[in-house]
Amino acid sequence: MNLRHCIKVDDFSKSEIFELFEIASEVKKKFRNKENFKPFQDLSLAMIFAKPSARTRVSFETGFSWMGGHAIYLAPQDIGLGKRETASDLAQLFSRYNDMIMARVFSHNDILDFEKNATVPVINGLTDYNHPCQILTDIFTIWELKKSNFDHLKIVYIGDGNNIVNSWLRLSSILPIEFISISPEGFYPDNTTVDLAKNSGISSIKISNSIDDVKNSDVVYTDVWASMGQKDEIDERIKSFSSYQVNSKLVSTAKPDYLFMHCLPAERGREVTNDVIDSKNSVVFEQAENRLHIQNAIMLKISGKI
Ligand code: CP
Ligand code: NVA
């Protein structure tokens, strides 16, 4: 079997994404029923974190352990990625000890170095550029809740044109969706990725700076205004983003049964108000739970266990 990694959403074809949904649904049932399911018996996963995490760490560790394996958490100070040791040396090292590597890093080049130098599957747990496990989770959550193939759904992201948006754009080059990304000028998503999405001709893509584009949306998605590594820019950013807050006035223009989504962690009262994130339209904890199930599906698929 060829070595497979999950570095970007489009490492999977359209049919494989639907296959991931089926596997995730199956393992979700098994996990909830506490079934005995041990495909990773005697195997280990190295989990390398250069940035903080709650969901990614706990969902990977819980999932891999439940499936019979041993997951090893490495905190930023354990590894000193780029300071104490290079990504390429670590990739070669952990390929000798472990059966799979998951890494959350700052520079996207680091995850590419892991991909290039590892001889075991590598999973991207977020970089400054993208977050494939999150967006595969999000589209799975929409698939579950809207019972649809998405083509007639209007998915609107509002906020910083960050790693989350770049991943939505990459998804839109594989699956047909209507995707609008709304950001203040100067905070648009990566140009090359916008071009990739538009040139694929698969989806309807709009990059906008107008909150009017939230009108009639089926999904309203937001994320923090300053990502990890940018937190010291927040005071400056608040000035640019204040009219892009997801609040009850803004979502009153969305469809009545719209879904509110957020990858979490949320900075409540900043990019989203409590009345929206705690409303009946909000599915943020369904998303968070599904990280576990889609990642289990990804690990099963790329390791050839399924
Ligand atoms: N959504 C997400 O990746 O959360 P963590 O940063 O807590 O892992
Ligand atoms: N854009 C956020 C996502 C966190 C899951 C960040 O990179 O900090």
Side-chain angles (χ1 to χ4, degrees):
M1 189 196 141
N2 287 341
L3 183 57
R4 289 205 65 174
H5 307 286
C6 172
I7 305 298
K8 52 192 190 302
V9 173
D10 42 314
D11 283 336
F12 299 99
S13 65
K14 180 179 174 185
S15 66
E16 284 178 331
I17 290 177
F18 283 102
E19 190 191 340
L20 287 177
F21 293 172
E22 298 298 340
I23 301 169
S25 303
E26 201 53 40
V27 288
K28 183 170 183 171
K29 271 188 234 136
K30 286 189 197 299
F31 181 85
R32 285 185 162 184
N33 293 335
K34 300 261 178 261
E35 280 179 41
N36 188 39
F37 180 59
K38 306 285 178 217
F40 292 121
Q41 188 85 52
D42 297 328
L43 303 185
S44 65
L45 166 73
M47 305 191 301
I48 299 155
F49 284 89
K51 294 179 176 181
S53 169
R55 278 144 290 274
T56 305
R57 188 235 166 127
V58 176
S59 55
F60 269 105
E61 189 165 335
T62 303
F64 199 76
S65 310
W66 169 63
M67 293 191 286
H70 176 51
I72 302 156
Y73 170 68
L74 295 146
Q77 65 273 20
D78 296 328
I79 295 285
L81 182 65
K83 298 186 189 87
R84 189 167 184 266
E85 205 159 3
T86 63
S88 68
D89 282 356
L90 289 166
Q92 293 174 74
L93 173 74
F94 292 130
S95 294
R96 303 240 176 179
Y97 294 150
N98 307 113
D99 303 282
M100 215 181 297
I101 297 170
M102 194 281 300
R104 164 169 287 194
V105 295
F106 284 88
S107 162
H108 193 68
N109 281 332
D110 283 341
I111 201 78
L112 297 178
D113 280 345
F114 271 105
E115 179 186 31
K116 206 160 106 196
N117 293 284
T119 54
V120 298
V122 175
I123 300 174
N124 176 357
L126 178 147
T127 72
D128 285 350
Y129 171 66
N130 70 347
H131 197 1
C133 294
Q134 181 68 54
I135 272 51
L136 287 166
T137 299
D138 300 334
I139 197 71
F140 171 61
T141 307
I142 295 171
W143 178 79
E144 275 188 317
L145 295 171
K146 290 283 185 188
K147 306 266 174 275
S148 85
N149 286 343
F150 330 109
D151 37 6
H152 62 286
L153 294 181
K154 180 174 172 181
I155 301 173
V156 175
Y157 174 93
I158 177 161
D160 184 28
N162 61 15
N163 42 11
I164 295 296
V165 188
N166 292 334
S167 305
W168 271 105
L169 289 165
R170 295 201 79 107
L171 178 77
S172 72
S173 72
I174 304 288
L175 284 191
I177 55 175
E178 181 183 353
F179 181 66
I180 303 180
S181 177
I182 308 171
S183 312
E185 266 174 55
F187 297 93
Y188 292 142
D190 176 62
N191 265 329
T192 315
T193 311
V194 172
D195 289 345
L196 170 108
K198 285 188 172 165
N199 294 339
S200 72
I202 301 286
S203 294
S204 148
I205 309 286
K206 183 173 176 186
I207 307 298
S208 162
N209 64 3
S210 169
I211 60 170
D212 294 344
D213 281 314
V214 171
K215 202 168 166 211
N216 278 329
S217 47
D218 295 280
V219 174
V220 179
Y221 196 124
T222 192
D223 185 17
V224 290
W225 292 341
S227 286
M228 290 180 272
Q230 305 171 325
K231 297 296 181 192
D232 56 351
E233 296 172 21
I234 190 62
D235 291 342
E236 247 339 276
R237 283 175 171 251
I238 285 171
K239 292 181 202 153
S240 307
F241 282 94
S242 56
S243 55
Y244 292 79
Q245 183 187 61
V246 180
N247 52 36
S248 50
K249 181 162 179 260
L250 185 91
V251 295
S252 67
T253 64
K255 289 193 184 147
D257 64 346
Y258 86 97
L259 302 180
F260 172 72
M261 302 186 87
H262 192 310
C263 56
L264 302 180
E267 296 185 10
R268 286 168 172 261
R270 194 165 277 167
E271 75 273 5
V272 59
T273 52
N274 282 338
D275 55 351
V276 171
I277 196 170
D278 295 327
S279 70
K280 63 174 181 17
N281 297 74
S282 174
V283 294
V284 297
F285 292 107
E286 280 80 357
Q287 279 175 273
E289 178 187 339
N290 279 337
R291 286 291 302 277
L292 171 67
H293 309 305
I294 209 83
Q295 289 164 190
N296 286 348
I298 291 169
M299 291 193 285
L300 289 164
K301 173 81 186 153
I302 66 176
S303 65
K305 292 280 175 199
I306 232 162

